[in-house]
Amino acid sequence: MSRAFVFPGQGAQTIGMGQALAAAYPQAKAVFDEVDDALGESLSGLIWEGEQDVLTLTQNAQPALMATSLAAMKALEAEGVSIDVASCVAGHSLGEYSALAAAGALSIADTARLLRTRGEAMQAAVPVGEGAMAAILGLDFAAVQDVAEAAAQGEVCQAANDNDPTQVVVSGAKAAVERAAEIAKEKGARRAVMLPVSAPFHCALMQPAADVMAEALAGVEIKAPAVPVIANVRAAAVSDPSEIRALLVEQVTGSVRWRESVVNMAADGVSEFWEIGAGKALSGMIRKIDRANGVRAIGTPDDVKAALEALNG
C-alpha cells in the first residue's frame, strides 16, 4: 500500500490543538518550543490557552497549524514511523510549508518565520473589506473559472481553490466575488457561501505578498526533500530546491489545485492518505474526490497509536 502524508491549511485551527501531543511526546513539545524561540514569543501559549479569534488571525494561524502538524509528525517518528513510510507529501496552501518541513526541505525555525511573514504579508496586501472569498458548491472547477471570468468586469476575480468535485473557492475584489456568488447560483450551483476570511487569498491581489515572499524565501536554505512534494500550483511532484522556492512564491497568487493533486497522487499508486495535524478537513475533501481512497487523521496521541497499529497490523 502506498500512502501520502498531507498537511492541513488555514481554517483547521482550534484552541488546544497539539497540546495532548506535546504532553505525551517530548519530541512534539520540542517543536512548539522551537517555534516559540524562532518567533520570539509564546505562540504555544496562544494555541493552548488563548482566544480563538486571535489564533485565527492569519499571521498566527499559519505558523500555529504548521507547529501542530510537525508535532504530530515528530510523535509518529518517536514511534518509529518515519517520513519514508510516505511515497510523497502534500499540503493545502500553508500546509505545503508543513509538508516541506516534514520532508526535511525546510527547518522548523525557518518555516515558522516564513509563515509569520507570509501571514502578515497576505493580510497587508489588501485593505480589510476590499477583498473577499466565496465557496461555490455544486459546480466543477472549469465552470467556476467561467463564473469568475464573467463576474470580474474589470476587477480581480479568480477560481482560487479547487478543493474537491463539489467545492471551488473564488477570490478577488469584494464586489466581483459577490457577483460571482450570484452568477454561480444562476448557473446551477447548489450554494454560494461568502467565507469569513480577512483577505482574498490565492488571487492576483496578493501580488504584494508574493513579492515579500520572494525576498523572504531567497534568504533561507531549501534542501531536496526526503520524498517528493506535490506542489499546489502544479499538482505534480517537485524535489529541486530552486523549483520549490519559485513555486512557493507563485503559490501566493496561484490556484490551490488540491483536487488534481489528490487525483494525480492516486494515479501514481497512492491508496491511503494520512492527514497530519489539526482537524479532518482534508480527509473530507479526499473522500469526495474518490471514495476508494483510504484516509486517516492524526492529531492526537490516540491517533498516533492507531496509525502505528494499522501500519504494523
Side-chain angles (χ1 to χ4, degrees):
M1 179 183 293
S2 178
R3 66 186 54 80
F5 289 174
V6 297
F7 297 84
Q10 211 159 321
Q13 66 276 356
T14 57
I15 295 296
M17 64 183 182
Q19 190 167 15
L21 287 169
Y25 294 96
Q27 299 90 335
K29 174 68 162 56
V31 171
F32 289 104
D33 291 343
E34 186 172 354
V35 169
D36 287 351
D37 288 345
L39 298 180
E41 64 183 70
S42 179
L43 185 65
S44 61
L46 170 61
I47 297 168
W48 297 336
E49 298 169 355
E51 299 296 326
Q52 181 70 27
D53 59 343
V54 180
L55 178 61
T56 297
L57 293 172
T58 302
Q59 64 265 32
N60 293 328
Q62 295 199 20
L65 285 162
M66 180 279 297
T68 304
S69 285
L70 268 291
M73 192 67 232
K74 292 298 183 183
L76 285 169
E77 290 173 1
E79 296 287 2
V81 182
S82 72
I83 194 71
D84 300 335
V85 166
S87 58
C88 60
V89 295
H92 191 284
S93 191
L94 83 90
E96 189 167 329
Y97 284 79
S98 305
L100 287 162
L106 287 168
S107 72
I108 291 172
D110 280 343
T111 307
R113 287 188 287 262
L114 284 169
L115 286 173
R116 169 55 59 81
T117 298
R118 184 177 182 267
E120 290 173 344
M122 292 172 90
Q123 188 60 66
V126 180
V128 173
E130 290 189 11
M133 300 180 79
I136 310 300
L137 308 180
L139 294 180
D140 65 18
F141 188 64
V144 174
Q145 283 182 308
D146 291 342
V147 165
E149 190 175 328
Q153 299 179 19
E155 295 183 294
V156 171
C157 189
Q158 294 172 228
N161 295 359
D162 184 8
N163 285 335
D164 64 48
T166 68
Q167 184 193 115
V168 180
V169 175
V170 293
S171 181
K174 186 171 186 286
V177 171
E178 289 171 344
R179 286 193 294 271
E182 291 306 312
I183 293 170
K185 285 185 275 191
E186 292 168 8
K187 297 286 188 183
R190 194 168 70 253
R191 289 175 68 203
V193 183
M194 300 299 291
L195 298 179
V197 294
S198 54
F201 306 128
H202 298 292
C203 76
L205 294 176
M206 287 287 110
Q207 188 57 49
D211 296 339
V212 170
M213 290 312 297
E215 184 175 347
L217 284 157
V220 301
E221 181 184 13
I222 299 179
K223 299 177 182 176
V227 296
V229 179
I230 309 303
N232 281 187
V233 296
R234 190 174 289 176
V238 292
S239 293
D240 177 70
S242 61
E243 196 172 18
I244 289 169
R245 196 184 312 270
L247 291 175
L248 286 176
V249 175
E250 188 179 335
Q251 188 220 60
V252 180
T253 56
S255 297
V256 176
R257 295 167 61 184
W258 185 252
R259 178 189 57 81
E260 287 179 85
S261 296
V262 173
V263 167
N264 291 343
M265 283 185 273
D268 286 339
V270 171
S271 56
E272 186 171 88
F273 293 82
W274 288 14
E275 182 172 4
I276 312 290
K280 299 180 180 179
L282 296 185
S283 298
M285 292 178 197
I286 290 165
R287 285 194 185 96
K288 288 177 182 174
I289 293 165
D290 186 347
R291 295 203 69 83
N293 294 318
V295 294
R296 176 180 295 278
I298 301 172
T300 68
D302 285 346
D303 295 338
V304 172
K305 299 291 191 198
L308 186 66
E309 288 172 11
L311 202 61
N312 296 332

